[in-house]
Amino acid sequence: MEKAVKKEQLYEGKAKKVFATADPALVIVSYKDDATAFNGLKKGTVAGKGAVNNRMSNLLMRLLEQRGVPTHFVEELSERETLVKKVKIVPLEVIIRNVSAGSFAKRYGVPEGIVFDAPTLEFSYKCDELGDPLINRYHALALKLATEEELAAIEKYAFQVNEVLKEYFLHLGVRLIDFKLEFGRLPDGTVVLADEISPDTCRFWDAETGEKLDKDRFRRDMGGVEEAYQEIFKRVTGE
Ligand code: TMP
């Protein structure tokens, strides 16, 4: 496809900007190095993060497409920019967990690192003003955030993504602890995987050492943030 031309900016989020193109069905996503945590309370930059997240997310979206998960991905345009299908985001954060960590460990008073017998799925209502509260599928239906059919598709795809990525990362010596997905609606109503899959949205632990190779290093002021992003990028791309 011919390189798409960036037109007006449609949206700026915490880690990405979205631009219109000449084609109303397509937009360009531009990844920033900006990092936030705790609903924007903590702010910083992580040098090179935008390029890592863009390239890694595209690689994983391509893999998932091959394995039968429909995504918004169209074409990588540059280190930081990608052409994607324009979608209406379903206002749900879909979180899959294989091992206890983060808010799960905190909320239920358990240590991090407990391996679950089966993966869990939870929804948060994507709403910054409310701090993305945890909700269940009945609440999502009551709030008309998605239909029953859409929720069923989202749940099916989310577990499918987990199976594909868990195995993929294990081959790279990385444990996929948990991750967050977002889905969007195409104009015909089809639900596809959207947003990004990156160290911002996943927890990756080195399988040998347990070292964290994700945004928790930024959230928790652990240092070595840039290095962790570069390390996980190297495992994925071999570069
Ligand atoms: P949590 O344990 O803080 O709920 O995070 C679960 C997963 O979701 C973790 O891999 C990080 C990711 N995540 C996001 O991508 N965006 C967010 O805003 C939050 C809170 C978590």
Side-chain angles (χ1 to χ4, degrees), residues 68-91:
V69 179
T71 79
H72 70 165
F73 177 76
V74 177
E75 188 193 359
E76 187 167 285
L77 300 176
S78 69
E79 228 188 11
R80 282 170 188 274
E81 293 187 339
T82 295
L83 187 65
V84 300
K85 292 176 188 161
K86 187 174 186 179
V87 297
K88 285 228 159 64
I89 288 286
V90 177

Short mmCIF file of all heavy atoms in Angstrom, two decimals, residues 68-91:
data_model
loop_
_atom_site.label_atom_id
_atom_site.label_comp_id
_atom_site.label_asym_id
_atom_site.label_seq_id
_atom_site.Cartn_x
_atom_site.Cartn_y
_atom_site.Cartn_z
N GLY A 68 -5.84 -16.15 13.78
CA GLY A 68 -7.30 -16.05 13.74
C GLY A 68 -7.92 -14.98 14.61
O GLY A 68 -9.15 -14.97 14.76
N VAL A 69 -7.12 -14.09 15.18
CA VAL A 69 -7.69 -12.99 15.96
C VAL A 69 -7.72 -11.74 15.08
O VAL A 69 -6.66 -11.26 14.68
CB VAL A 69 -6.86 -12.70 17.24
CG1 VAL A 69 -7.46 -11.53 18.02
CG2 VAL A 69 -6.75 -13.94 18.11
N PRO A 70 -8.90 -11.19 14.76
CA PRO A 70 -8.93 -10.00 13.91
C PRO A 70 -8.42 -8.78 14.68
O PRO A 70 -8.73 -8.61 15.87
CB PRO A 70 -10.41 -9.85 13.57
CG PRO A 70 -11.15 -10.53 14.66
CD PRO A 70 -10.25 -11.63 15.17
N THR A 71 -7.63 -7.94 14.02
CA THR A 71 -7.07 -6.75 14.67
C THR A 71 -7.25 -5.53 13.78
O THR A 71 -7.61 -5.64 12.62
CB THR A 71 -5.55 -6.91 14.96
OG1 THR A 71 -4.83 -6.67 13.75
CG2 THR A 71 -5.21 -8.28 15.51
N HIS A 72 -6.91 -4.38 14.35
CA HIS A 72 -7.01 -3.11 13.60
C HIS A 72 -5.80 -2.88 12.71
O HIS A 72 -5.79 -1.97 11.89
CB HIS A 72 -7.21 -1.94 14.58
CG HIS A 72 -6.00 -1.63 15.41
ND1 HIS A 72 -5.87 -0.46 16.12
CD2 HIS A 72 -4.85 -2.33 15.64
CE1 HIS A 72 -4.71 -0.45 16.75
NE2 HIS A 72 -4.07 -1.56 16.47
N PHE A 73 -4.76 -3.69 12.84
CA PHE A 73 -3.48 -3.43 12.17
C PHE A 73 -3.61 -3.43 10.65
O PHE A 73 -4.22 -4.30 10.06
CB PHE A 73 -2.45 -4.49 12.59
CG PHE A 73 -1.13 -4.34 11.90
CD1 PHE A 73 -0.24 -3.34 12.28
CD2 PHE A 73 -0.79 -5.16 10.83
CE1 PHE A 73 0.98 -3.18 11.63
CE2 PHE A 73 0.43 -5.01 10.17
CZ PHE A 73 1.31 -4.02 10.57
N VAL A 74 -2.99 -2.44 10.01
CA VAL A 74 -2.95 -2.40 8.54
C VAL A 74 -1.51 -2.42 8.05
O VAL A 74 -1.09 -3.33 7.34
CB VAL A 74 -3.70 -1.17 7.97
CG1 VAL A 74 -3.58 -1.12 6.45
CG2 VAL A 74 -5.17 -1.21 8.37
N GLU A 75 -0.71 -1.41 8.43
CA GLU A 75 0.65 -1.33 7.91
C GLU A 75 1.54 -0.47 8.80
O GLU A 75 1.12 0.62 9.22
CB GLU A 75 0.61 -0.70 6.50
CG GLU A 75 1.94 -0.75 5.79
CD GLU A 75 1.98 0.13 4.54
OE1 GLU A 75 0.95 0.77 4.22
OE2 GLU A 75 3.03 0.18 3.90
N GLU A 76 2.76 -0.95 9.05
CA GLU A 76 3.73 -0.13 9.80
C GLU A 76 4.29 0.92 8.84
O GLU A 76 4.78 0.57 7.77
CB GLU A 76 4.84 -1.04 10.33
CG GLU A 76 5.80 -0.32 11.25
CD GLU A 76 6.68 -1.32 12.00
OE1 GLU A 76 6.20 -1.97 12.93
OE2 GLU A 76 7.85 -1.46 11.60
N LEU A 77 4.21 2.20 9.23
CA LEU A 77 4.66 3.26 8.32
C LEU A 77 6.07 3.71 8.62
O LEU A 77 6.80 4.12 7.74
CB LEU A 77 3.71 4.47 8.44
CG LEU A 77 2.25 4.21 8.09
CD1 LEU A 77 1.42 5.46 8.35
CD2 LEU A 77 2.11 3.77 6.63
N SER A 78 6.44 3.67 9.89
CA SER A 78 7.78 4.09 10.30
C SER A 78 8.02 3.54 11.69
O SER A 78 7.18 2.83 12.25
CB SER A 78 7.88 5.62 10.32
OG SER A 78 7.09 6.13 11.37
N GLU A 79 9.17 3.90 12.26
CA GLU A 79 9.53 3.41 13.59
C GLU A 79 8.43 3.65 14.62
O GLU A 79 8.20 2.83 15.50
CB GLU A 79 10.79 4.14 14.04
CG GLU A 79 11.83 3.22 14.57
CD GLU A 79 12.99 3.95 15.18
OE1 GLU A 79 12.94 5.18 15.40
OE2 GLU A 79 13.99 3.25 15.45
N ARG A 80 7.76 4.79 14.50
CA ARG A 80 6.78 5.18 15.52
C ARG A 80 5.35 5.25 15.02
O ARG A 80 4.44 5.54 15.80
CB ARG A 80 7.13 6.59 16.05
CG ARG A 80 8.24 6.60 17.01
CD ARG A 80 8.69 8.01 17.31
NE ARG A 80 9.91 7.94 18.10
CZ ARG A 80 9.92 7.82 19.41
NH1 ARG A 80 8.80 7.82 20.08
NH2 ARG A 80 11.06 7.72 20.06
N GLU A 81 5.16 5.08 13.72
CA GLU A 81 3.82 5.32 13.17
C GLU A 81 3.26 4.11 12.44
O GLU A 81 3.96 3.45 11.68
CB GLU A 81 3.85 6.53 12.24
CG GLU A 81 4.14 7.80 13.03
CD GLU A 81 4.02 9.05 12.20
OE1 GLU A 81 4.10 8.98 10.96
OE2 GLU A 81 3.85 10.12 12.82
N THR A 82 1.97 3.91 12.66
CA THR A 82 1.30 2.75 12.06
C THR A 82 -0.08 3.14 11.55
O THR A 82 -0.80 3.90 12.20
CB THR A 82 1.18 1.63 13.13
OG1 THR A 82 2.50 1.21 13.46
CG2 THR A 82 0.40 0.43 12.61
N LEU A 83 -0.40 2.59 10.39
CA LEU A 83 -1.71 2.77 9.80
C LEU A 83 -2.62 1.68 10.37
O LEU A 83 -2.29 0.49 10.32
CB LEU A 83 -1.59 2.63 8.28
CG LEU A 83 -2.82 2.95 7.44
CD1 LEU A 83 -3.18 4.44 7.57
CD2 LEU A 83 -2.55 2.60 5.98
N VAL A 84 -3.75 2.10 10.92
CA VAL A 84 -4.70 1.12 11.48
C VAL A 84 -6.12 1.45 11.02
O VAL A 84 -6.39 2.58 10.58
CB VAL A 84 -4.66 1.08 13.04
CG1 VAL A 84 -3.29 0.72 13.55
CG2 VAL A 84 -5.14 2.39 13.65
N LYS A 85 -6.98 0.45 11.12
CA LYS A 85 -8.39 0.68 10.80
C LYS A 85 -8.98 1.57 11.89
O LYS A 85 -8.70 1.38 13.07
CB LYS A 85 -9.14 -0.64 10.78
CG LYS A 85 -8.73 -1.53 9.63
CD LYS A 85 -9.43 -2.88 9.70
CE LYS A 85 -8.85 -3.81 8.67
NZ LYS A 85 -9.13 -5.22 8.95
N LYS A 86 -9.79 2.53 11.48
CA LYS A 86 -10.46 3.39 12.46
C LYS A 86 -11.56 2.59 13.14
O LYS A 86 -12.38 1.97 12.46
CB LYS A 86 -11.04 4.62 11.75
CG LYS A 86 -11.60 5.64 12.71
CD LYS A 86 -12.03 6.90 11.99
CE LYS A 86 -12.45 7.95 13.00
NZ LYS A 86 -12.85 9.18 12.33
N VAL A 87 -11.55 2.60 14.44
CA VAL A 87 -12.57 1.87 15.19
C VAL A 87 -13.18 2.79 16.25
O VAL A 87 -12.60 3.82 16.58
CB VAL A 87 -11.98 0.62 15.92
CG1 VAL A 87 -11.43 -0.38 14.94
CG2 VAL A 87 -10.94 1.03 16.96
N LYS A 88 -14.34 2.38 16.74
CA LYS A 88 -14.90 3.03 17.95
C LYS A 88 -14.50 2.12 19.09
O LYS A 88 -14.92 0.95 19.16
CB LYS A 88 -16.43 3.08 17.84
CG LYS A 88 -16.92 4.14 16.89
CD LYS A 88 -18.05 4.97 17.54
CE LYS A 88 -18.23 6.32 16.87
NZ LYS A 88 -18.67 6.20 15.47
N ILE A 89 -13.70 2.64 20.00
CA ILE A 89 -13.20 1.79 21.09
C ILE A 89 -14.34 1.39 22.04
O ILE A 89 -15.13 2.24 22.46
CB ILE A 89 -12.07 2.53 21.86
CG1 ILE A 89 -10.78 2.61 21.01
CG2 ILE A 89 -11.78 1.88 23.21
CD1 ILE A 89 -9.99 1.32 20.87
N VAL A 90 -14.44 0.13 22.35
CA VAL A 90 -15.37 -0.36 23.37
C VAL A 90 -14.76 0.08 24.71
O VAL A 90 -13.60 -0.24 24.98
CB VAL A 90 -15.48 -1.91 23.32
CG1 VAL A 90 -16.38 -2.42 24.42
CG2 VAL A 90 -15.98 -2.36 21.94
N PRO A 91 -15.49 0.84 25.53
CA PRO A 91 -14.86 1.43 26.72
C PRO A 91 -14.63 0.43 27.87
O PRO A 91 -15.09 0.63 28.99
CB PRO A 91 -15.83 2.54 27.12
CG PRO A 91 -17.14 2.10 26.59
CD PRO A 91 -16.88 1.28 25.36
#
